[in-house]
């Protein structure tokens, strides 16, 4: 079974993905970490974020064990990741890694922005997780402040709007809800309620598949 979970930043998709993976016993790949890692490596090596060739080389040689989580979760890493993710050669360099993970024996769960449309269009279940941008901003702002970053709520909301526009407007594999995906709107949900709704959607999709 392949489960594809796509959606916007701070919508709750990462937490939903981790909990569903644990529930169904599936290996989980947070594909956003790949792009964050490429961006962080580039900044450490003083590689410009528009240098397609060197960035693709970094992507091909990527080893996530070289990074610590707080580096990948910073606001700077998030902004830079959105920039490098718009470069076709970087996306291509990471495509095979993601596709191989998705098609491994026994199934897998991946979350990102183009899993259901590009990486695993044949997924058994596709979810699109989203929420109002202000609600997402408040969630992300609390996370960043909790990590000691000096940033205002309005700045975070503005950054989310810019990232949404960049992710959805890129020419190569734009972030988009697959036609057969199920929408999970977490705006007014606690994370537990959002996970329950996502799990119910997965069960309904699997039941529909069995009777199709």
């Amino acid at each position: 079974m392949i489960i594809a979970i796509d959606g916007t930043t701070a919508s709750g998709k990462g937490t939903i993905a981790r909990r569903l993976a644990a529930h169904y016993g599936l290996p989980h790949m947070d594909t956003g970490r790949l792009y964050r890692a490429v961006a962080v490596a580039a900044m450490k090596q003083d590689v410009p974020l528009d240098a397609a060739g060197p960035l693709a080389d970094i992507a091909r040689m990527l080893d996530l064990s070289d990074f610590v989580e707080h580096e990948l979760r910073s606001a700077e890493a998030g902004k830079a990741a959105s920039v490098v993710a718009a470069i076709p050669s970087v996306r291509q360099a990471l495509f095979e890694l993601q596709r191989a993970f998705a098609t491994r024996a026994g199934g897998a769960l991946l979350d990102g922005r183009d899993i259901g449309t590009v990486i695993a269009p044949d997924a058994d279940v596709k979810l699109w997780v989203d929420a109002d941008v202000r609600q997402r901003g408040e969630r992300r702002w609390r996370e960043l402040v909790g990590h000691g970053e000096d940033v205002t709520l309005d700045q975070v909301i503005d950054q989310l709007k810019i990232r949404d526009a960049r992710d959805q407007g890129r020419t190569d594999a734009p972030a988009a809800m697959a036609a057969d995906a199920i929408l999970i709107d977490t705006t007014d949900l606690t994370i537990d309620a959002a996970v329950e709704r996502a799990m119910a959607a997965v069960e309904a999709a699997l039941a529909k598949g069995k009777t199709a």
Side-chain angles (χ1 to χ4, degrees), residues 93-116:
L94 295 175
F95 173 83
E96 292 300 336
L97 174 64
Q98 296 172 79
R99 182 61 186 166
F101 189 91
T103 57
R104 63 198 297 167
L109 186 152
L110 297 85
D111 76 86
R113 286 172 176 73
D114 65 346
I115 308 304

Side-chain angles (χ1 to χ4, degrees), residues 1-6 12-29 106-111 125-129 182 184 186 191-206:
M1 173 173 67
I2 302 173
I3 299 178
I5 302 181
D6 293 303
K13 76 174 186 297
T15 301
I16 290 172
R18 289 190 294 273
R19 292 203 191 176
L20 290 187
H23 178 79
Y24 291 104
L26 293 171
H28 168 226
M29 175 180 278
L109 186 152
L110 297 85
D111 76 86
V125 181
K126 301 176 187 178
L127 303 180
W128 177 269
V129 185
I182 301 167
I184 306 294
T186 67
I191 190 57
D192 289 338
V195 171
E196 289 179 8
R197 184 165 297 182
M199 196 172 296
V202 171
E203 291 297 328
L206 292 176

Side-chain angles (χ1 to χ4, degrees), residues 154-185:
D154 285 341
Q155 287 174 327
V156 173
I157 292 174
D158 287 343
Q159 290 168 6
L160 287 178
K161 289 178 179 178
I162 292 170
R163 181 161 189 181
D164 286 349
R166 182 185 292 125
D167 290 345
Q168 294 165 17
R170 63 186 179 228
T171 56
D172 187 54
M177 179 175 171
D180 53 347
I182 301 167
L183 173 64
I184 306 294
D185 186 340

Side-chain angles (χ1 to χ4, degrees), residues 7-195:
T8 52
T9 298
S11 61
K13 76 174 186 297
T15 301
I16 290 172
R18 289 190 294 273
R19 292 203 191 176
L20 290 187
H23 178 79
Y24 291 104
L26 293 171
H28 168 226
M29 175 180 278
D30 172 1
T31 63
R33 293 181 78 246
L34 302 177
Y35 294 98
R36 286 172 175 267
V38 171
V40 169
M43 290 187 288
K44 285 183 175 180
Q45 299 173 33
D46 293 324
V47 174
L49 295 181
D50 59 354
L55 288 169
D57 289 339
I58 290 173
R60 280 189 287 269
M61 298 167 56
L62 194 64
D63 183 350
L64 289 178
S65 65
D66 292 338
F67 304 89
V68 293
E69 192 63 25
H70 75 82
E71 286 182 312
L72 302 181
R73 294 300 303 169
S74 70
E76 184 180 20
K79 288 192 295 184
S82 183
V83 174
V84 302
I87 299 174
S89 59
V90 173
R91 302 198 70 83
Q92 185 58 43
L94 295 175
F95 173 83
E96 292 300 336
L97 174 64
Q98 296 172 79
R99 182 61 186 166
F101 189 91
T103 57
R104 63 198 297 167
L109 186 152
L110 297 85
D111 76 86
R113 286 172 176 73
D114 65 346
I115 308 304
T117 54
V118 176
I119 303 301
D122 52 345
D124 300 281
V125 181
K126 301 176 187 178
L127 303 180
W128 177 269
V129 185
D130 204 354
D132 174 78
V133 70
R134 183 161 192 87
Q135 180 62 255
R136 292 191 288 123
E138 290 177 357
R139 294 170 184 170
R140 181 65 172 144
W141 175 72
R142 287 195 296 269
E143 178 186 6
L144 293 173
V145 170
H147 290 158
E149 296 206 30
D150 183 15
V151 62
T152 68
L153 174 58
D154 285 341
Q155 287 174 327
V156 173
I157 292 174
D158 287 343
Q159 290 168 6
L160 287 178
K161 289 178 179 178
I162 292 170
R163 181 161 189 181
D164 286 349
R166 182 185 292 125
D167 290 345
Q168 294 165 17
R170 63 186 179 228
T171 56
D172 187 54
M177 179 175 171
D180 53 347
I182 301 167
L183 173 64
I184 306 294
D185 186 340
T186 67
T187 301
D188 299 315
L189 299 178
T190 64
I191 190 57
D192 289 338
V195 171

